[in-house]
């Protein structure tokens, strides 16, 4: 379909594993590291997910993580865009 979203998701999931986190922990730690984000919404539906989500806020965001995310972001700058027939 031309979308880069699956490859971008896989790259970010690989980064999470590289840094010893689940993708959810990595995403929440990233959000917490943004000084302009005043709060983060979690979507836990089980106690295990809730624990994972809450534990993510104790993770330290490192310069290496920032560098790695920037590298993936440069490869997939707009992964949500899906080419549409006719240009839309």
């Amino acid at each position: 379909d031309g979308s880069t979203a699956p490859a971008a998701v896989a790259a970010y999931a690989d980064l999470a594993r590289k840094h010893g986190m689940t993708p959810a922990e990595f995403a929440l730690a990233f959000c917490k590291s943004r000084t302009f984000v005043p709060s983060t919404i979690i979507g836990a539906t089980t106690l295990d997910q809730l624990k994972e989500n809450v534990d993510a806020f104790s993770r330290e965001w490192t310069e290496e993580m920032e560098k790695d995310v920037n590298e993936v972001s440069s490869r997939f700058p707009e992964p949500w865009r899906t080419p549409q027939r006719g240009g839309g």
Side-chain angles (χ1 to χ4, degrees):
D1 69 9
S3 172
T4 61
V9 169
Y12 286 114
D14 288 344
L15 282 187
R17 285 187 289 278
K18 173 184 174 182
H19 293 286
M21 296 184 208
T22 66
E25 288 172 321
F26 195 73
L28 290 169
F30 174 84
C31 290
K32 180 185 163 229
S33 75
R34 307 295 99 169
T35 58
F36 54 85
V37 177
S39 66
T40 303
I41 298 171
I42 60 174
T45 57
T46 67
L47 286 176
D48 287 341
Q49 288 174 339
L50 179 61
K51 180 178 179 352
E52 175 186 21
N53 288 184
V54 170
D55 288 348
F57 292 101
S58 66
R59 299 291 196 144
E60 179 184 346
W61 191 256
T62 67
E63 287 296 320
E64 182 182 5
M65 291 174 184
E66 189 71 21
K67 180 180 93 33
D68 289 347
V69 164
N70 287 336
E71 190 277 321
V72 171
S73 178
S74 71
R75 285 190 288 142
F76 304 101
E78 296 181 332
W80 59 88
R81 292 197 185 273
T82 302
Q84 302 296 314
R85 199 171 320 157

